[in-house]
Amino acid sequence: MTQVKYFKMRNIDVCLSSEGTEVILATSSDEKHPPENIIDGNPETFWTTTGMFPQEFIICFHKHVRIERLLIQSYFVRTLRIEKSTSKEPVDFEQWIERGFLKLDTRKDQFVGGITQHHSENSL
């Protein structure tokens, strides 16, 4: 007799600090809303910037990851550019996605990216 067992794999949010992910660079910081809020998993916290352009942050995954879905929510963003690096150090970035927003207003901009191919990047 052969038994087939089914294992349900849980979706893992690899961008959480609880998964070992770190924010290793941010161009702006506010003590009430630090960059670490980006990866804390709490929808009530956020990273705030000085309002000057451009702003950037680097998230480091300490293992190879496959990103299938990326959700970024923001206000007052002119252009969103996501770069990746497969290097162990945060160097040699290449552009992955770029999107411009038509106007700056008070509504929340939301970017959802679906990725179908395998990426083994360490940093975003």
Side-chain angles (χ1 to χ4, degrees):
M1 177 177 183
T2 304
Q3 278 189 322
V4 178
K5 294 183 179 181
Y6 295 94
F7 296 97
K8 184 177 179 182
M9 296 189 66
R10 67 182 179 104
N11 289 332
I12 299 171
D13 189 341
V14 297
C15 286
L16 292 178
S17 56
S18 61
E19 293 295 322
T21 300
E22 289 184 274
V23 176
I24 60 170
L25 177 126
T27 54
S28 182
S29 187
D30 177 285
E31 86 180 35
K32 291 182 182 179
H33 307 288
E36 291 76 21
N37 287 355
I38 297 169
I39 58 173
D40 70 1
N42 182 346
E44 300 299 316
T45 63
F46 54 90
W47 172 51
T48 190
T49 66
T50 60
M52 301 297 292
F53 294 99
Q55 295 291 331
E56 66 181 66
F57 59 89
I58 297 176
I59 296 175
C60 182
F61 308 106
H62 293 287
K63 58 187 174 187
H64 290 288
V65 298
R66 178 183 173 140
I67 297 175
E68 295 178 353
R69 182 174 180 263
L70 179 65
L71 171 66
I72 296 175
Q73 295 178 320
S74 60
Y75 289 95
F76 301 112
V77 170
R78 291 181 183 171
T79 303
L80 174 67
R81 181 174 47 221
I82 301 171
E83 298 177 346
K84 67 175 183 166
S85 172
T86 57
S87 176
K88 288 188 183 261
E89 299 297 322
V91 296
D92 301 326
F93 285 90
E94 61 184 76
Q95 186 172 314
W96 191 24
I97 297 168
E98 184 166 347
R99 178 177 175 193
F101 294 94
L102 296 177
K103 61 182 179 175
L104 298 175
D105 61 21
T106 57
R107 77 174 194 280
K108 186 187 301 184
D109 296 312
Q110 181 169 303
F111 171 81
V112 178
I115 312 306
T116 56
Q117 68 186 66
H118 179 74
H119 296 283
S120 58
E121 63 277 332
N122 288 338
S123 300
L124 283 182

